[in-house]
Amino acid sequence: MGGGYHARRLAGLLVALLAIGAPGLAGPRPAQPQSRPALTVFAAADLAFALEEIAAGFERIHDVTVTLVLGSTGHLAQQIAHGAPADVFFAADESFVDDLTRRGAIIPETRALYARGRLVLATRADRGPRLTDLRDLAAPGIRRVAIANPRHAPYGRAAEEALRAAGIWDAVASKLVFGENIRHALQFLETGGVEAAIIALSLARVPGIEHVLIDAALHTPLNQAAGVVTRSRDPGRALAFIEHVNGPQGRPIMKKYGFLLPGEF
C-alpha cells in the first residue's frame, strides 16, 4: 500500500486515540530530564535482532529514544496487565494482545498484525551431526533439547505442539530444558548446555548455528500482533512505531530475519 494510505490510517487512529480519553491522554507529558522523548517497547524475545535494527531507524527519523524490553510474551502481558510502564506491546501470539484489549489494557483501534513467526530445529555446527528432522531428537545421542517454556512462551507452545504432532513427545519430554523465552533457549544451545533446540527462525541466523525449518503444519500458526498500551503517555509515537514496523522501513528488515509479513499469509 502507498504512503498516502498509511498517513490517512495513522491520522484516523490518532483521532480515535484522543476520543477515547484513556489515562495519560488528557494532558501533556511531564517534563523529562532526557533531551528527547522516550518510547518503551515491550516485545517478544523472537524480535530481539529485528526490532533492534528497526528501532535504530525509527530513532533517527522521529528524534526519539526507544527502549526495548524483551521477554516471553506471557510474562510481558502479565506485567502490562498490572500496570507496567510500556507504551506499545509486540506479542509473539495475537491472542495475548486480544486478551489485553478485552481487559482494557490495549487501545482496540491500534491492534495490528505485524508478522507470522516460524520454528526451526537448531544445532551447533561444531558438535555432532546436523539434525534434519524432528524425529532425530529421539535418538539416544541427543540427551538435552531446549525449547521456550510452553506455559508462557508462544514459541515453546508451538514447539510442544510440533513434537506431539510428530509423534515423539513421549520420547523427548524427559530431555527438555525450558528457557524463560525463545532467546534463552538459543543461549542454552550456544553455550553447549543442550545438543539441540527448537527456536525462532528470526534468532537462528547467528554464527555457529545450523538450522532447518520445521513444517508449519505441525503447530498452530504463530500470528504476531502489536497494540498501543492504554496507559501510554505517548500513544501517538507508540502508534507511529507500529506503523513503522509495518511500513516500507520496517518490512524489509522483518523479512530479512525470516518473518512472514501481513499480506503473505
Side-chain angles (χ1 to χ4, degrees):
M1 298 182 182
Y5 167 81
H6 287 290
R8 291 192 300 273
R9 182 172 183 269
L10 178 58
L13 288 177
L14 286 174
V15 170
L17 290 176
L18 293 174
I20 291 171
L25 296 182
R29 187 182 183 92
Q32 299 291 327
Q34 64 261 28
S35 59
R36 59 181 184 173
L39 198 66
T40 300
V41 177
F42 277 29
D46 68 306
L47 294 164
F49 301 149
L51 278 196
E52 182 178 358
E53 192 171 333
I54 291 172
F58 185 82
E59 287 180 327
R60 289 192 299 270
I61 294 171
H62 293 270
D63 192 30
V64 60
T65 298
V66 177
T67 298
L68 298 178
V69 179
L70 301 165
S72 77
T73 291
H75 282 163
L76 293 176
Q78 186 176 41
Q79 291 172 29
I80 290 171
H82 286 87
D87 291 296
V88 61
F89 180 37
F90 281 78
D93 183 329
E94 60 184 334
S95 67
F96 287 86
V97 171
D98 294 339
D99 178 63
L100 287 174
T101 300
R102 287 190 292 270
R103 298 168 69 177
I106 294 288
I107 301 172
E109 292 81 0
T110 66
R111 192 257 198 207
L113 282 175
Y114 65 88
R116 174 178 287 179
R118 292 190 278 182
L119 277 181
V120 298
L121 174 61
T123 52
R124 279 180 50 161
D126 62 348
R127 294 201 174 186
R130 181 181 183 184
L131 305 184
T132 59
D133 190 282
L134 276 179
R135 288 169 292 187
D136 294 337
L137 296 175
I142 304 299
R143 296 173 300 162
R144 295 176 300 276
V145 180
I147 68 173
N149 193 322
R151 295 180 61 184
H152 51 75
Y155 278 88
R157 184 205 63 219
E160 178 178 342
E161 290 177 354
L163 291 169
R164 290 186 182 278
I168 59 169
W169 174 258
D170 290 340
V172 175
S174 63
K175 303 180 180 184
L176 294 178
V177 177
F178 297 119
E180 280 301 297
N181 54 64
I182 199 64
R183 194 174 185 187
H184 190 202
L186 170 62
Q187 290 169 347
F188 279 134
L189 180 62
E190 289 180 305
T191 58
V194 299
E195 287 81 33
I198 299 176
I199 60 173
L201 174 61
S202 60
L203 300 180
R205 296 168 180 174
V206 294
I209 299 298
E210 296 181 331
H211 65 273
V212 61
L213 277 171
I214 292 172
D215 185 357
L218 295 176
H219 61 84
T220 303
L222 285 157
N223 291 339
Q224 307 191 193
V228 175
V229 178
T230 305
R231 295 172 59 88
S232 172
R233 288 194 173 270
D234 204 341
R237 284 192 178 88
L239 179 58
F241 188 80
I242 296 174
E243 294 282 334
H244 184 87
V245 171
N246 272 340
Q249 299 91 355
R251 284 175 67 92
I253 297 172
M254 293 291 288
K255 198 170 185 68
K256 179 176 73 173
Y257 285 98
F259 291 102
L260 296 174
L261 306 181
E264 299 178 349
F265 59 88

